[in-house]
Amino acid sequence: MDLGINVVEMLIYLVGIIAFAAGNAAYLVWVERKGAAHIQRRTGPKEVGPYGLLQPLADGAKLMSKQLIIPDGVDKPLFMVAPLIAMVPAIMIFVTIPFSDSIIARDINLGLLMIFAFASVNVLALLLGGWASRNKYAVISAARAVSQNVAYEIPMLIIAITIVMVSGSMNLKEIVDFQAGGFWNWNFLPTNGNFLGPITFVLFFICFMAETNRAPFDLGEAESELIAGFHTEYGSMGFGLFFMGEYANIVIGAALTVILFLGGWYCPFGLTDGIWWFLIKMYLLIWTVVLIRWTYPRVTLWSLLNLSWKILIPFSLFNLLASAGLIKILG
Amino acid sequence: MAGYFTNILSGTKSLLVGLSITQREFFKKPVTLQYPWESLEMTPRYRGHIQLVKDGETGTHKCISCGLCDKGCPSGCITVKGEKQEGVKVKVLVRYDLDFTKCSLCGQCIDNCKPGAIEFSKEYNLASTRKEDFYYDLLKRLKEQK
Ligand code: SF4
Ligand code: SF4
């Protein structure tokens, strides 16, 4: 392909992805606040624009106009770079997510591997941010975030491996195509050889929530005990980037769940396939994430690790073996 | 081992029940009061600062300038001034000042008033940074009331 066109295309994708990630981050905050408010029988933001719809813009303007305070004694380079590490991998991951048959920035054969590779960088941001802050709460939070991420990456990867085994590819597009036809072909049912079916779907969903440090797994920023955890010392856009990174990761996690388990852009009844199905499924999952945050109290570190090592890992390992057997039998 | 699985099952069930409750609450109407766009009617026995009662028939106050409220106030918040005017039998009230900064809302003044010319108002939006804002000219206030 001509180099000039290639660069233009790249720029368009880049702008599109950043706009998508930033727009989602901004409006998911709105959804979150509205959702939380109505669950608690309040009204939530309603003054800025109709239904408070301009609130995210006001919040963004506020964050950007604030001074970035760098406290004395922080490790300055690390302190500055940590928010970037939180945001950049999230943007990178969007490159290989297939929103529909044609809407995908780069169709990479090892797409799934790339996603997990970049997703694991996220924890580095929390670690560096907490470590560089020279604040005991931030350091405790960083340590927690790491142990949590180590514990939950294992079952998540084992489940992902099962799906790769079932569909025989690491290319996200092929994984989705493998589930074409109707919802009975989707990977969350055992039809394709994913032995425990819906259970793995739920386990994956739990892992994704733990990986994104969302409530009830938000031990890293437990306000009641750690002020704000790793981003205690951050203000202005430093905090803004951490925040956007978190929401971008939620979108990625939901998108990945849709791709791996819910047939991507395919209609449940094999009719009107397209990006809208992808978005509907993704936003339903995201709504569940919001609902979960405002339903469950935060778990303790002990029960968090317990859940992973005693329930998620044994189940996912069993599923891996059973699925392997099932695939062998199915031929 | 059996406890392990029943634990997981009962745990999952309770989690689902929790989710269904929050989702149900989500669709209900908010119960919060949208202050300052709307505010609650104060209860009948609420004690705001005192005010002159408006007489429905004459359209003015009922005060006879006897000064008993002034004398009875333990904090000395009230200053009443009456004048003898031609053609009127009783003294006519010309000033009724309340220094609300010292008022303890004890109600002595109201108990002392024979004709029932003063009452507690229902005023509660009274924030200010200036002390002078709490020196009320109650006569003026009565005139301004519709
Ligand atoms: S309520 Fe009590 S303190 Fe207040 S003006 Fe009346 S008598 Fe004085
Ligand atoms: S006691 Fe009643 S009538 Fe007498 S001066 Fe006070 S308000 Fe007027």
Side-chain angles (χ1 to χ4, degrees):
Chain A
M1 200 191 285
D2 184 29
L3 188 70
I5 295 178
N6 217 339
V7 169
V8 169
E9 194 189 280
M10 250 164 60
L11 279 179
I12 291 175
Y13 276 130
L14 189 68
V15 170
I17 287 170
I18 291 180
F20 182 74
N24 260 302
Y27 276 90
L28 285 183
V29 175
W30 180 83
V31 169
E32 178 109 54
R33 290 179 61 179
K34 272 288 191 199
H38 280 276
I39 287 169
Q40 296 164 353
R41 312 278 306 269
R42 298 182 282 115
T43 46
K46 68 188 253 289
E47 296 300 331
V48 192
Y51 303 102
L53 271 171
L54 298 180
Q55 185 75 43
L57 302 184
D59 287 346
K62 185 200 80 175
L63 274 181
M64 275 186 256
S65 60
K66 279 176 114 173
Q67 184 193 0
L68 180 59
I69 296 172
I70 301 175
D72 273 350
V74 299
D75 192 329
K76 203 172 164 198
L78 290 186
F79 187 80
M80 300 290 280
V81 96
L84 291 179
I85 300 183
M87 193 61 203
V88 172
I91 300 287
M92 289 298 295
I93 291 174
F94 276 111
V95 168
T96 184
I97 287 190
F99 288 97
S100 86
D101 211 12
S102 49
I103 305 174
I104 169 171
R106 270 280 173 280
D107 190 8
I108 302 172
N109 263 336
L110 292 176
L112 192 60
L113 186 65
M114 181 186 139
I115 287 186
F116 278 110
F118 276 109
S120 58
V121 175
N122 181 41
V123 61
L124 199 64
L126 311 194
L127 178 63
L128 290 186
W131 177 254
S133 289
R134 192 174 179 258
N135 175 316
K136 59 188 169 214
Y137 299 112
V139 174
I140 295 174
S141 149
R144 282 187 183 182
V146 172
S147 68
Q148 176 178 347
N149 272 266
V150 169
Y152 280 83
E153 218 146 65
I154 300 170
M156 197 172 190
L157 282 172
I158 295 176
I159 296 169
I161 290 172
T162 316
I163 297 299
V164 169
M165 248 167 40
V166 167
S167 46
S169 170
M170 269 208 176
N171 184 325
L172 294 175
K173 227 168 137 177
E174 281 172 24
I175 292 179
V176 174
D177 276 329
F178 178 75
Q179 306 172 63
F183 69 88
W184 49 90
N185 279 335
W186 293 357
N187 280 336
F188 84 101
L189 291 178
T191 19
N192 286 333
N194 182 17
F195 188 75
L196 286 178
I199 296 179
T200 53
F201 166 65
V202 173
L203 296 191
F204 190 84
F205 194 68
I206 294 172
C207 291
F208 128 58
M209 255 182 319
E211 284 283 295
T212 49
N213 294 309
R214 278 288 295 194
F217 302 113
D218 59 345
L219 288 167
E221 42 182 289
E223 300 92 346
S224 49
E225 36 201 282
L226 295 180
I227 308 179
F230 56 88
H231 56 60
T232 304
E233 299 291 353
Y234 284 89
S236 164
M237 259 339 251
F239 167 75
L241 282 179
F242 269 124
F243 211 61
M244 271 168 70
E246 182 186 324
Y247 279 94
N249 279 328
I250 294 168
V251 175
I252 290 167
L256 197 62
T257 317
V258 170
I259 291 167
L260 293 184
F261 291 95
L262 299 179
W265 59 85
Y266 285 109
C267 169
F269 314 104
L271 297 169
T272 48
D273 306 327
I275 181 169
W276 42 88
W277 279 109
F278 189 95
L279 293 180
I280 289 172
K281 293 173 199 170
M282 189 178 89
Y283 284 118
L284 276 180
L285 282 183
I286 291 178
W287 174 248
T288 317
V289 171
V290 171
L291 196 60
I292 285 174
R293 167 159 179 192
W294 299 104
T295 306
Y296 305 142
R298 183 179 305 122
V299 296
T300 59
L301 189 62
W302 176 82
S303 52
L304 174 93
L305 297 179
N306 226 13
L307 175 66
S308 172
W309 294 104
K310 280 196 181 159
I311 298 180
L312 299 189
I313 293 182
F315 266 87
S316 51
L317 271 178
F318 170 73
N319 184 53
L320 181 74
L321 295 177
S323 302
L326 199 63
I327 294 167
K328 194 84 187 157
I329 297 167
L330 289 175
Chain B
M1 200 59 202
Y4 176 78
F5 285 104
T6 47
N7 225 346
I8 292 177
L9 282 179
S10 65
T12 315
K13 184 169 163 252
S14 78
L15 290 180
L16 290 179
V17 170
L19 277 186
S20 70
I21 289 173
T22 40
Q23 183 64 70
R24 211 165 51 230
E25 293 298 314
F26 176 77
F27 291 112
K28 291 189 188 164
K29 260 179 78 136
V31 291
T32 45
L33 184 79
Q34 297 307 311
Y35 189 83
W37 306 128
E38 53 187 60
S39 48
L40 282 178
E41 186 69 22
M42 270 300 144
T43 50
R45 296 178 68 181
Y46 179 77
R47 293 186 170 192
H49 69 75
I50 58 165
Q51 64 181 13
L52 288 164
V53 178
K54 187 154 206 165
D55 193 338
E57 286 167 33
T58 59
T60 177
H61 60 85
K62 296 191 272 190
C63 176
I64 51 171
S65 319
C66 67
L68 279 178
C69 51
D70 187 342
K71 289 204 187 69
C73 174
S75 318
C77 318
I78 303 174
T79 317
V80 181
K81 230 172 113 194
E83 248 177 30
K84 209 85 189 119
Q85 280 179 5
E86 242 167 90
V88 192
K89 259 225 295 283
V90 291
K91 273 206 275 184
V92 176
L93 186 66
V94 287
R95 264 200 96 72
Y96 196 111
D97 290 329
L98 170 70
D99 176 2
F100 192 52
T101 58
K102 291 187 287 182
C103 173
S104 57
L105 295 167
C106 64
Q108 281 291 344
C109 48
I110 294 174
D111 289 344
N112 277 358
C113 182
K114 262 276 163 54
I118 41 180
E119 63 182 353
F120 287 119
S121 67
K122 304 278 171 270
E123 204 65 62
Y124 60 95
N125 290 318
L126 291 175
S128 171
T129 51
R130 293 176 346 119
K131 195 178 173 188
E132 295 75 51
D133 288 346
F134 300 106
Y135 299 153
Y136 299 117
D137 181 345
L138 292 186
L139 207 53
K140 194 163 138 228
R141 187 185 143 84
L142 183 79
K143 289 209 181 89
E144 278 160 9
Q145 276 176 354
K146 288 161 264 112

